[in-house]
Structures are given as structure tokens and as C-alpha cells.
């Protein structure tokens, strides 16, 4: 018997995925933690997205946006998002893959701008494969 978690690949509407404001990369004080019941709050999601988009690391959100627009969303290439379900909903909290979700949200926010030049990329974002 293995003690490793058993992950299941599922397809999810990206609008049912939520950024994790409690990601250790995003806060430094315990008092900054967001209670689980507040994670879906639009203000919490917006401020979390801004923190991720503004992060200074070698993997820029803009680069991820360009890669997804060029190639579509291919979880096998960039790594699957790891999620857990949010109790009593059909939504999921992204435990690993918050930058990818931020890039996907950025694309979907400007979907009209990308329709003509990147129809295949937009099609790949209708439902995305994640590991639960």
C-alpha cells in the first residue's frame, strides 16, 4: 500500500479555478493568511493575481501568456496544475500552477483581442486538464 496521494486527472472550466492567496511565495506573516471561506471573493482573487503578476522571478507571466497563445495550453509540456476541491462547490483551489492560471486568466480577460489570431489557443482554454 502506497502512502503517496492518488491524483486523478480531470478537465475543468478555468473559471472554476481559484488562485491560492495562501501560497507561501505570496505572504510572509501568518496574519496575512486568507480564511478558506474567503478564497472565492473577487477582491481576494484580484489581489492574489496582482501579487503573482508582479512577482520578480525568471518565469514571467507575460512569457507564459505568449507561450500559451502560441502553443495552446499543454499541461504535459509546462506541468499540470495541482488542485483540491473547495467544499460544497464544483470549484477548485490551485495548489500548484498559480502562475499558469494567472496567465490563462490574462488571456481570457482579453479573449476578444485574441479571437482572430489565436483561435486554437482559446479553444485549448475552454476546459483544462488538472490533477486533483
Amino acid at each position: 500500500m502506497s502512502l503517496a496521494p492518488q491524483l486523478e486527472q480531470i478537465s475543468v472550466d478555468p473559471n472554476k479555478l481559484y488562485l491560492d492567496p495562501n501560497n507561501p511565495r505570496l505572504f510572509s506573516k501568518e496574519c496575512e493568511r486568507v480564511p478558506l471561506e474567503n478564497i472565492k471573493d473577487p477582491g481576494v482573487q484580484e489581489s492574489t493575481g496582482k501579487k503573482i503578476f508582479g512577482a520578480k522571478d525568471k518565469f514571467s507571466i507575460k512569457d507564459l501568456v505568449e507561450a500559451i497563445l502560441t502553443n495552446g495550453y499543454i499541461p504535459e509540456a509546462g506541468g499540470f496544475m495541482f488542485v483540491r476541491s473547495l467544499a460544497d462547490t464544483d470549484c477548485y483551489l490551485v495548489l500548484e500552477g498559480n502562475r499558469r492560471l494567472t496567465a490563462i486568466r490574462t488571456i481570457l480577460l482579453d479573449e476578444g483581442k485574441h479571437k482572430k489570431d489565436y483561435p486554437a489557443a482559446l479553444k485549448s482554454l475552454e476546459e483544462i486538464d488538472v490533477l486533483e
Side-chain angles (χ1 to χ4, degrees), residues 8-124:
E8 179 183 354
Q9 182 175 324
I10 59 174
S11 294
V12 179
D13 176 338
N15 294 310
K16 294 186 178 202
L17 295 173
Y18 288 87
L19 298 169
D20 183 3
N22 297 321
N23 182 311
R25 295 179 185 140
L26 301 179
F27 73 96
S28 58
K29 298 176 187 161
E30 190 62 29
C31 64
E32 296 174 343
R33 288 188 70 81
V34 175
L36 192 56
E37 62 270 11
N38 294 345
I39 285 176
K40 291 175 63 178
D41 180 271
V44 169
Q45 288 296 297
E46 182 179 349
S47 66
T48 303
K50 285 180 181 177
K51 286 180 185 177
I52 293 169
F53 203 94
K56 302 280 189 236
D57 61 27
K58 66 180 185 172
F59 299 107
S60 157
I61 300 300
K62 291 178 184 176
D63 293 340
L64 282 171
V65 167
E66 289 177 27
I68 293 170
L69 285 172
T70 300
N71 305 307
Y73 180 69
I74 307 168
E76 295 85 356
F80 279 90
M81 288 185 208
F82 290 84
V83 303
R84 74 173 185 162
S85 63
L86 291 171
D88 302 321
T89 73
D90 59 349
C91 299
Y92 299 87
L93 176 65
V94 175
L95 302 173
E96 181 61 37
N98 284 283
R99 287 189 306 240
R100 281 167 274 172
L101 179 56
T102 300
I104 288 168
R105 285 184 172 180
T106 300
I107 292 167
L108 294 176
L109 192 62
D110 289 334
E111 186 174 352
K113 179 173 117 178
H114 303 302
K115 260 188 176 164
K116 180 181 173 201
D117 295 328
Y118 302 103
L122 292 174
K123 179 81 174 151
S124 76

